Amino acid sequence: MACIDNREVYISFLRKHLSKERFFHTLAVEREAIFLAERYGVDTYKASLAGLLHDCVKGFSDEELIRLARSYNIPLSIWDLSSPQILHAPVGSIFAREYFGIKDREILSAIWKHTTGDKEMSTLDKIIFIADYIEYNRDFPGVSHLREIVKRDLNSAILFAINLTVGYIMRNNLAVHPKTIEVWNYLIKEGKSVLNEIYT
Ligand SMILES: [Fe+2]
Ligand SMILES: [Fe+2]
């Protein structure tokens, strides 16, 4: 398994391949993920590594992401082909395994699911998904409320985040990714009073 001693290797790779803003975003996601891991009783080492590497291939071109996805046998949907940057999550997960030697399935899962979420998510998956939304550089309407909700309940925070995203998507006549709907339905079924949490 990759160890924290490799941190310099990861940082050096990220510095080289990410924009300055994306690099600092990555460090901020790692910090938020550790904070949430402590709060929700998840392994902070795994949260740290998943946060640090979640966008490891975000600097790659569309062509490179499609090429890597094909070489990793990742099924390409029409969504992936029309917006190849969405592939940075699954491609990043397998890249982390192949390039950095990370074998931990929970870390790889969290990287894989961080953009769209999935119909089944572990607590670590949820932490990375929401840390990506609320890290301290993020500034959008609703983010302060989202930061408050996440202190109380992860599911509610994800539902509120989806609510904000879908609102933006619909106001701008964009398409909603089917995974987003799956995650919404999954959390609504999984939760009991989560909707009350969102609006209180
Ligand atoms: Fe990402
Ligand atoms: Fe990110």
Side-chain angles (χ1 to χ4, degrees), residues 139-146 160 164 171:
D139 184 18
F140 55 85
V143 70
S144 300
H145 191 34
L146 187 51
F160 187 66
L164 294 174
R171 284 194 301 278

Side-chain angles (χ1 to χ4, degrees), residues 22 25 29 54-55 88 114 132 138:
R22 181 68 53 181
H25 158 72
V29 170
H54 81 286
D55 274 344
H88 80 276
H114 85 265
D132 198 21
R138 297 294 200 196

Side-chain angles (χ1 to χ4, degrees), residues 177-192:
H177 195 287
K179 274 267 168 66
T180 303
I181 305 297
E182 279 184 12
V183 176
W184 177 271
N185 289 339
Y186 161 65
L187 292 177
I188 289 290
K189 284 177 190 163
E190 190 185 66
K192 293 185 176 64

Side-chain angles (χ1 to χ4, degrees), residues 2-192:
C3 71
I4 208 76
D5 294 342
N6 289 335
R7 184 177 177 84
E8 281 183 25
V9 174
Y10 310 143
I11 293 287
S12 143
F13 177 91
L14 296 171
R15 264 192 197 285
K16 184 173 175 192
H17 292 277
L18 298 179
S19 67
K20 194 172 161 192
E21 291 73 23
R22 181 68 53 181
F23 175 71
F24 287 116
H25 158 72
T26 286
L27 296 183
V29 170
E30 180 192 25
R31 188 177 114 156
E32 187 64 43
I34 293 170
F35 173 77
L36 292 175
E38 284 169 349
R39 187 171 202 94
Y40 288 103
V42 168
D43 186 323
T44 53
Y45 166 76
K46 293 186 183 190
S48 164
L49 207 44
L52 191 63
L53 295 180
H54 81 286
D55 274 344
C56 63
V57 299
K58 183 71 177 169
F60 289 11
S61 68
D62 290 356
E63 294 72 24
E64 182 66 357
L65 288 172
I66 290 172
R67 189 191 69 74
L68 281 171
R70 289 200 166 115
S71 77
Y72 294 153
N73 293 318
I74 295 172
L76 293 173
S77 70
I78 191 162
W79 293 84
D80 300 321
L81 292 169
S82 60
S83 303
Q85 278 301 316
I86 206 164
L87 285 166
H88 80 276
V91 168
S93 173
I94 300 184
F95 187 86
R97 188 186 71 196
E98 299 298 310
Y99 188 84
F100 296 120
I102 290 166
K103 302 285 187 254
D104 186 287
R105 285 173 176 266
E106 292 180 58
I107 295 172
L108 298 177
S109 169
I111 297 174
W112 185 295
K113 296 175 181 176
H114 85 265
T115 300
T116 58
D118 204 352
K119 54 182 182 292
E120 288 192 15
M121 295 172 80
S122 68
T123 306
L124 181 61
D125 294 336
K126 292 173 185 175
I127 283 173
I128 300 302
F129 181 93
I130 208 70
D132 198 21
Y133 261 92
I134 63 164
E135 56 91 349
Y136 62 81
N137 297 299
R138 297 294 200 196
D139 184 18
F140 55 85
V143 70
S144 300
H145 191 34
L146 187 51
R147 289 185 179 119
E148 288 305 311
I149 293 170
V150 81
K151 291 177 188 167
R152 289 183 280 155
D153 182 63
L154 271 177
N155 286 359
S156 302
I158 293 174
L159 284 167
F160 187 66
I162 292 174
N163 198 309
L164 294 174
T165 299
V166 170
Y168 173 85
I169 285 171
M170 291 187 170
R171 284 194 301 278
N172 288 277
N173 291 325
L174 301 170
V176 181
H177 195 287
K179 274 267 168 66
T180 303
I181 305 297
E182 279 184 12
V183 176
W184 177 271
N185 289 339
Y186 161 65
L187 292 177
I188 289 290
K189 284 177 190 163
E190 190 185 66
K192 293 185 176 64

